[in-house]
Amino acid sequence: MRDKWLIGCHTALISFFALLGAAGCGLLPSDPADPPVFGARAEGKVIVVKIPLCSTDDMRRVDVSDFDDTEHETPRTVWWASDPTPAVAATGVVRLWSGEGFRRHAAEPGTSAVPRHLDVGYTDPTGDGRDDVLDLVTIAKAQLKAGEYWTRNGPKTAAQIDAQLHCRGQEAGTRSLPFVTDESTALQIQQLP
């Protein structure tokens, strides 16, 4: 009789913990890591975007699309740029609309063609990459200190944006530049925002 009681208690406990575990899975996100945030700041008519990168990332193209476009299956492309210079590829700092730092880029869009919400993304040679949605009104109103970018999590520096990725073999916010051969160029690149 006692054995049946113990088996019943064990079964009840196992059932209780199984239900608790199942309920907990529904309450917690399945992917504990949030995607890394991009940063941006307004400099006149130009939006400067900081894309989180590790030194091993190979940014080949940046695409900016209309996040507010609900009329099309694929949102309208507002601007793009490809073939970045080594400085842009190393830092992940992109000056939208200007094409500065890219060998090829779209023309600057007219003011009326730029929506409030931009989906900014980059791709590497395999087609993989990251993207984030930026709210231009919030970015334009952000009160930022020198060297800061606005993110959906508040102001962050370039080093803090890169540090979200927990890159292997490099400290947070540092970039190794294997393609730079002279020290003055490396120093200039590392001092970019």
Side-chain angles (χ1 to χ4, degrees):
M1 182 72 112
R2 180 170 157 79
D3 288 336
K4 286 184 182 180
W5 182 81
L6 284 175
I7 291 173
C9 286
H10 286 176
T11 303
L13 281 173
I14 290 171
S15 297
F16 171 76
F17 286 115
L19 287 172
L20 182 64
C25 289
L27 298 174
L28 300 173
S30 60
D31 184 4
D34 290 329
V37 296
F38 288 28
R41 67 175 177 245
E43 293 182 1
K45 291 178 15 177
V46 175
I47 304 298
V48 180
V49 176
K50 171 61 183 113
I51 297 171
L53 292 175
C54 289
S55 62
T56 56
D57 290 334
D58 189 6
M59 179 174 64
R60 293 300 175 134
R61 181 178 171 97
V62 173
D63 286 287
V64 180
S65 58
D66 180 351
F67 187 76
D68 299 326
D69 181 1
T70 58
E71 295 178 22
H72 303 95
E73 186 174 324
T74 303
R76 175 180 64 87
T77 298
V78 177
W79 186 81
W80 61 268
S82 63
D83 302 321
T85 61
V88 170
T91 62
V93 176
V94 178
R95 297 178 62 82
L96 302 185
W97 323 146
S98 76
E100 182 181 321
F102 288 88
R103 291 177 185 88
R104 297 174 19 149
H105 58 86
E108 179 180 346
T111 306
S112 63
V114 178
R116 175 179 178 158
H117 299 99
L118 299 176
D119 186 357
V120 178
Y122 89 90
T123 52
D124 66 16
T126 68
D128 288 337
R130 294 182 187 88
D131 71 316
D132 197 4
V133 177
L134 306 176
D135 181 333
L136 294 185
V137 172
T138 303
I139 292 165
K141 291 179 180 179
Q143 299 295 313
L144 301 171
K145 296 176 186 171
E148 286 185 332
Y149 298 86
W150 184 256
T151 74
R152 67 176 175 266
N153 298 333
K156 292 187 180 291
T157 64
Q160 290 169 324
I161 291 169
D162 283 343
Q164 301 170 95
L165 300 177
H166 308 290
C167 303
R168 291 183 183 164
Q170 76 184 51
E171 293 178 31
T174 62
R175 321 258 321 139
S176 65
L177 305 168
F179 54 83
V180 177
T181 56
D182 69 76
E183 290 179 26
S184 65
T185 303
L187 182 59
Q188 290 171 350
I189 291 171
Q190 289 174 339
Q191 290 176 346
L192 287 173

